[in-house]
Amino acid sequence: MFTGLVVLVGLERLAELVVSKRHAAWAFSRGGVERGQSHYPFMVLLHTGLLVGAVVEVWVADRPFLPALGWSMLAVVVLSQALRWWCIATLGNQWNTRVIVVPGLPLVRRGPYRLVPHPNYVAVVAEGLALPLVHTAWVTALVFTVANAALIGERIRVENQALRELAAAA
């Protein structure tokens, strides 16, 4: 069942990429400028590693399912998905897996963005920790969380710089 859950999360990620590609085309057709291209392949690799690593660790290390941990982490995974899609719905065409800013568009300050500057990353952090722990894949959870902290730090720096440049040009 855990493998099925990870496959479902993988399919959700593929759906995100389809939406992201459509939004990127929309942004570029309106003069969108991409920043931070150099870190994007690492992000794809890390997120793929999360999915593969969680399943491999459970199979190879014969990790047990601990109901109290597993069910609570599953709830976190579901809530992180809900937050992620709330972010996508709120940003609409401006949401992307890449950092693409369209000149002239205002900064979004509604939905989850009225509460937290980067709510999508809250979802990423929560899911990255919780998904492997659904089936006690603690090594994957730890490695992903540490690597993701560095990546998200860079990603937020790139996004904030791009948004500052956009605001300065307005």
Side-chain angles (χ1 to χ4, degrees), residues 13 47 50 72-84 118-134 141 144-145 148 152:
R13 293 290 176 86
H47 285 256
L50 169 68
S72 60
M73 291 298 102
L74 180 60
V76 172
V77 170
V78 170
L79 290 171
S80 68
Q81 294 298 329
L83 176 57
R84 175 178 286 115
H118 297 281
N120 193 65
Y121 300 132
V122 173
V124 170
V125 168
E127 179 191 62
L129 182 64
L131 180 62
L133 291 179
V134 167
F144 177 84
T145 299
N148 192 48
I152 283 183

Side-chain angles (χ1 to χ4, degrees), residues 1-14 47-59 74 77 81 127 130-135 137 140:
M1 288 182 67
F2 178 69
T3 301
L5 171 65
V6 174
V7 167
L8 286 174
V9 170
L11 291 172
E12 184 279 330
R13 293 290 176 86
L14 290 175
H47 285 256
T48 302
L50 169 68
L51 302 177
V52 172
V55 171
V56 169
E57 182 178 350
V58 167
W59 288 351
L74 180 60
V77 170
Q81 294 298 329
E127 179 191 62
L131 180 62
L133 291 179
V134 167
H135 214 291
T140 302

Side-chain angles (χ1 to χ4, degrees), residues 67-147:
L69 177 64
W71 293 117
S72 60
M73 291 298 102
L74 180 60
V76 172
V77 170
V78 170
L79 290 171
S80 68
Q81 294 298 329
L83 176 57
R84 175 178 286 115
W85 284 96
W86 187 20
C87 293
I88 293 169
T90 300
L91 289 178
N93 287 328
Q94 291 176 261
W95 180 86
N96 207 290
T97 60
R98 298 178 176 271
V99 179
I100 304 172
V101 292
V102 179
L105 292 181
L107 188 62
V108 174
R109 296 186 190 273
R110 63 185 186 285
Y113 295 89
R114 74 180 184 279
L115 306 170
V116 180
H118 297 281
N120 193 65
Y121 300 132
V122 173
V124 170
V125 168
E127 179 191 62
L129 182 64
L131 180 62
L133 291 179
V134 167
H135 214 291
T136 64
W138 62 270
V139 172
T140 302
L142 179 64
V143 169
F144 177 84
T145 299
V146 170

